[in-house]
């Protein structure tokens, strides 16, 4: 499974970037909390989000919140 974290705008999203100078490979930066994991899982999550659309996502979120 995977989780999705959506941001209202780019100003808020900028806080999700991660930089480290303490990595054994030197400076390490990633634009997501996904880090260096395989991109297949996030690609699948993206495709589901595109398939559902905003209305479909909101419908599923309501089901979860009402459970």
């Amino acid at each position: 499974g995977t989780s999705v974290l959506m941001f209202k705008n780019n100003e808020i999203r900028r806080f999700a970037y991660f930089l480290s100078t303490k990595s054994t490979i030197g400076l390490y930066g990633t634009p997501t909390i996904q880090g260096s994991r395989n991109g297949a899982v996030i690609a699948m999550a993206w495709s589901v989000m595109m398939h559902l659309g905003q209305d479909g996502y909101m419908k599923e979120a309501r089901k979860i919140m009402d459970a």
Side-chain angles (χ1 to χ4, degrees):
T2 191
S3 298
V4 175
L5 178 61
M6 298 190 304
F7 300 96
K8 184 176 182 177
N9 57 49
N10 285 334
E11 178 65 22
I12 297 170
R13 185 183 185 280
R14 72 185 184 93
F15 294 106
Y17 284 78
F18 174 79
L19 292 172
S20 174
T21 57
K22 298 179 188 216
S23 171
T24 57
I25 60 170
L27 180 62
Y28 175 77
T30 179
T32 70
I33 55 177
Q34 174 77 3
S36 60
R37 294 186 208 151
N38 184 311
V41 174
I42 195 65
M44 288 185 279
W46 178 85
S47 64
V48 169
M49 296 294 289
M50 295 299 101
H51 174 74
L52 289 175
Q54 185 174 352
D55 290 339
Y57 180 82
M58 295 299 292
K59 178 182 173 185
E60 295 302 317
R62 277 189 210 95
K63 285 183 193 176
I64 292 168
M65 296 302 289
D66 291 342

